[in-house]
Amino acid sequence: AGVPKLNRAELETACEDFSNIVIHCYEGCTIYKGTLSNEVEIAVVSTLITSSQDWSKDMEMKYRKKVFSFLSPYK
């Protein structure tokens, strides 16, 4: 809830073409810090998952927990 849908170009701009700060890397996933044009800071996750069929509810929960654990110190 409250999360805007952003297209790839907006994410690339926010993360300075994904050369911006890498918050964390782990197997198959990189978390980038980005800033939107309205100065809101975001985290963008790049993953090796290429199909929604490969993305299970269990993977979603693990992903959310991992992102939350790394973003909590930045609040």
Side-chain angles (χ1 to χ4, degrees):
V3 178
K5 287 190 176 195
L6 303 170
N7 63 41
R8 178 149 180 112
E10 291 169 310
L11 296 175
E12 287 175 352
T13 299
C15 294
E16 299 176 21
D17 294 322
F18 299 105
S19 64
N20 203 351
I21 298 169
V22 174
I23 296 173
H24 188 70
C25 292
Y26 59 97
E27 185 178 337
C29 188
T30 304
I31 305 171
Y32 296 91
K33 180 181 176 192
T35 305
L36 299 175
S37 59
N38 63 359
E39 301 300 317
V40 171
E41 290 186 336
I42 60 171
V44 177
V45 179
S46 173
T47 182
L48 296 176
I49 302 293
T50 59
S51 166
S52 60
Q53 295 169 342
D54 295 334
W55 191 252
S56 68
K57 288 188 184 241
D58 182 55
M59 289 175 75
E60 176 75 18
M61 290 306 297
K62 287 179 182 176
Y63 159 79
R64 288 177 180 265
K65 286 179 183 178
K66 183 71 83 173
V67 170
F68 182 76
S69 71
F70 288 106
L71 293 181
S72 294
Y74 295 95
K75 289 183 178 183

